[in-house]
Amino acid sequence: MRKKRHKVAAGSLLITVVIALVLGLICSLLILSGYHELRIRTDRDIETSLNRNLQSAVNMVLAGHPQTGVPQSSAMDLYGKGNDSVIITEGIWGVYDFASVEARVEGRSRHRNLFFGPLPADSLDGCLYLAEHQRSLSLVGNTRLTGKAYLPKGGIKPGYINQRGYDHSDLVNGPIWQSTNTLPDVDIDRVRYYGDWLRRDSLAEQGQELPDTIEHSFTDAVQTIHRKGPITLSGVKYAGHIIIGSDSLIEVDSDVVLNGVLLIAPVVRFRRGFSGKVQAFGTDSIIVEEACHMRYPSALVIVKENKGKSQPRLVVGENSVVEGLVLTHADDASVMTLMELRSGSLIRGIVYSNGFLSPEGGVYG
């Protein structure tokens, strides 16, 4: 019996090939989509681990404080599994502590630099601490004390200077506590360490031109620029682990960019309009001219150790802002420091002086 033959359309093979290609493409796309989803999930897990480990390292840093000014590094495995490692570098930088932390997971890393420090003394939680010197405090003009005030036994009263009295009815908007004979303790040894730096560093150079740009990581050893004679910074950009020192004067123009740099000299002057993050240490004077902005974390510090005829002086000019610490201290009671906060100036942070204080500006801290 003869079998019937069925005719197959001439285009069937082509259609079959096309269908096979489409099915193959769909399968490939499904595989690729699954791989891509797995890759996204893996990346997300790694990012989560990096953020978690980085925050764990920061928490470990905040749990303790470095003891020396030399950066100290340590590496550790957070969970003992060999794939969650962190590297922590800690040290002291000016009036602050600094840390550089790095987290590593599966060949990836994330890095963060931070400044930190211990909480201030309990008695520095108020708006004013005036040591006991058997005198009362007089308020004149538009002065406002908001917050806890530590005052002498003589208390507080309205005053009258240059034909102007006190503008308000309440003297303190907050509780009043009695102060002691001394100011709350601060770590004077730390700021004295930088005041002595010029004497310890004997490698001062003379007459060399300063570089235009320096960026130096806090994980590296400190870079120092120490010159004999005055230093004028103009049009330069310096950032990071850098100390600039002069045996006489450092002058900073308004076009200078400083980020985290330390300046050490008997006299430090910031020209009108300067803005940056900087810590300045002086022994004779620090002058901040008008309309400057010292961004957080900045510090202006004068520490007078030896006797001398000149009165150490720190001036914050009109309409200038300092975010951080402003401190003057003299070891010898016969040489009283003078701090002037001129009209329109603003300090966001702590103002500390064991000498004379002329506060014509505002303080928020």
Side-chain angles (χ1 to χ4, degrees), residues 38 61 64-65 101-102 119 132 170-171 191 218 221 229 242 256 271-272 324 364:
L38 179 62
V61 167
H65 302 289
V101 296
E102 182 181 6
L119 291 173
E132 175 65 73
D170 56 330
L171 296 172
V191 296
F218 280 96
I242 304 167
V256 172
R271 290 298 184 185
R272 177 187 177 92
Y364 293 91

Side-chain angles (χ1 to χ4, degrees), residues 54 57-58 61 87-89 99-103 110-114:
L54 194 66
V58 171
V61 167
I87 300 174
I88 301 175
T89 302
S100 178
V101 296
E102 182 181 6
R110 182 156 294 176
H111 181 268
R112 182 186 300 174
N113 291 326
L114 64 147

Side-chain angles (χ1 to χ4, degrees), residues 118-125 129 131 180-191 325 327 329 350 352-354:
L119 291 173
D122 292 341
S123 51
L124 288 177
D125 63 346
Y129 192 105
T180 64
N181 295 333
T182 58
L183 291 175
D185 291 333
V186 294
D187 193 354
I188 293 299
D189 289 338
R190 175 179 293 200
V191 296
L325 173 69
L327 181 148
H329 176 86
I350 294 178
Y352 187 101
S353 174
N354 73 341

Side-chain angles (χ1 to χ4, degrees), residues 77-84:
D77 184 4
L78 288 177
Y79 308 108
K81 298 181 180 179
N83 58 352
D84 292 283

Side-chain angles (χ1 to χ4, degrees), residues 209-269:
E209 186 176 350
L210 297 174
D212 292 334
T213 303
I214 303 177
E215 292 186 7
H216 197 65
S217 172
F218 280 96
T219 58
D220 299 327
V222 61
Q223 180 172 345
T224 62
I225 300 174
H226 188 182
R227 297 287 188 266
K228 293 180 179 178
I231 293 178
T232 298
L233 299 179
S234 180
V236 299
K237 297 180 180 180
Y238 296 158
H241 208 194
I242 304 167
I243 294 179
I244 302 174
S246 166
D247 62 0
S248 57
L249 166 68
I250 296 178
E251 211 166 42
V252 183
D253 286 345
S254 61
D255 59 354
V256 172
V257 177
L258 299 178
N259 186 0
V261 177
L262 264 59
L263 307 180
I264 304 175
V267 179
V268 182
R269 177 183 290 272

Side-chain angles (χ1 to χ4, degrees), residues 143 316-317 320 340-347 358-364:
T143 303
V316 178
S320 288
E340 298 180 44
L341 309 179
R342 293 186 174 168
S343 176
S345 64
L346 176 62
I347 312 298
S358 175
E360 298 179 18
V363 179
Y364 293 91

